[in-house]
Amino acid sequence: MAKLRQKNPHTVRQAEDMRGFENLQMDVAVNFTKGIQLSSHIHNICSEAREAVYTRQEDVRAWLKKGVDGSMFEVLPQSSSLPVLHPCKICSHDWKACICSYRLSLEWIPCSLKYCKTRDSSGKTTSYKCGIRSCQKGYIFHFYVPQKQLCLWDEET
């Protein structure tokens, strides 16, 4: 896809495929000061969330296989070991633990090559690369917070 050039790169595009939302359980906290081992961008991107950077256990396993220091990860309380936790959106007590959700929608991402069909001089149909197919994809991140006050945006949705 890197070799294809886009005509009219400043045009606002619409996704051709809608891939829906994927629910992700963010069940591990990352020590913010040690997070530089994962990415040099964590300190810039997550600067407002110094105490609350989350990831999934599957991601942790992959990083540990690559030799990342495991002391930066703390497994959060699992729903099976806690009393029933409600989503923060419906939790009525500001200082009670709940499950926070954050929704992210990527409205237009390149997802594959687009093939067009043409007929050659003998009438035979052939296909050729003619562009990039675009998709819309969404993610809903769910994670434990010790108090609803740490999840105020969940009330907005």
Side-chain angles (χ1 to χ4, degrees):
M1 284 197 298
K3 292 183 180 180
L4 290 174
R5 293 180 198 198
Q6 188 178 47
K7 294 178 185 174
N8 306 316
H10 300 292
T11 303
V12 175
R13 310 218 183 262
Q14 297 292 319
E16 298 165 87
D17 290 335
M18 308 304 175
R19 298 228 171 144
F21 280 87
E22 184 177 343
N23 284 294
L24 301 172
Q25 299 300 325
M26 309 305 281
D27 47 10
V28 177
V30 178
N31 181 319
F32 185 77
T33 57
K34 294 180 180 180
I36 192 101
Q37 293 179 40
L38 301 176
S39 171
S40 59
H41 302 291
I42 284 183
H43 284 55
N44 293 332
I45 295 171
C46 304
S47 62
E48 294 180 25
R50 291 185 185 269
E51 301 289 326
V53 180
Y54 302 101
T55 190
R56 302 175 304 157
Q57 287 190 21
E58 300 132 63
D59 298 327
V60 171
R61 284 191 287 275
W63 286 319
L64 292 175
K65 285 180 183 176
K66 291 181 179 181
V68 172
D69 176 19
S71 68
M72 79 171 75
F73 303 113
E74 175 192 346
V75 177
L76 295 171
Q78 303 299 302
S79 55
S80 59
S81 64
L82 294 169
V84 176
L85 289 177
H86 298 290
C88 292
K89 183 188 282 191
I90 63 170
C91 186
S92 58
H93 303 302
D94 289 344
W95 304 105
K96 195 172 184 180
C98 55
I99 301 297
C100 189
S101 296
Y102 183 78
R103 182 181 291 251
L104 173 70
S105 181
L106 303 172
E107 297 298 321
W108 189 95
I109 57 172
C111 55
S112 65
L113 291 174
K114 185 188 299 184
Y115 290 90
C116 297
K117 294 184 180 192
T118 188
R119 292 191 188 273
D120 62 15
S121 58
S122 66
K124 184 179 175 187
T125 303
T126 60
S127 61
Y128 63 97
K129 297 176 196 170
C130 61
I132 299 172
R133 187 163 203 72
S134 59
C135 294
Q136 179 184 43
K137 176 77 174 147
Y139 299 93
I140 305 173
F141 301 96
H142 303 283
F143 52 94
Y144 167 86
V145 289
Q147 53 188 302
K148 182 180 178 176
Q149 289 293 331
L150 299 172
C151 185
L152 296 178
W153 63 82
D154 209 4
E155 295 176 347
E156 299 170 5
T157 57

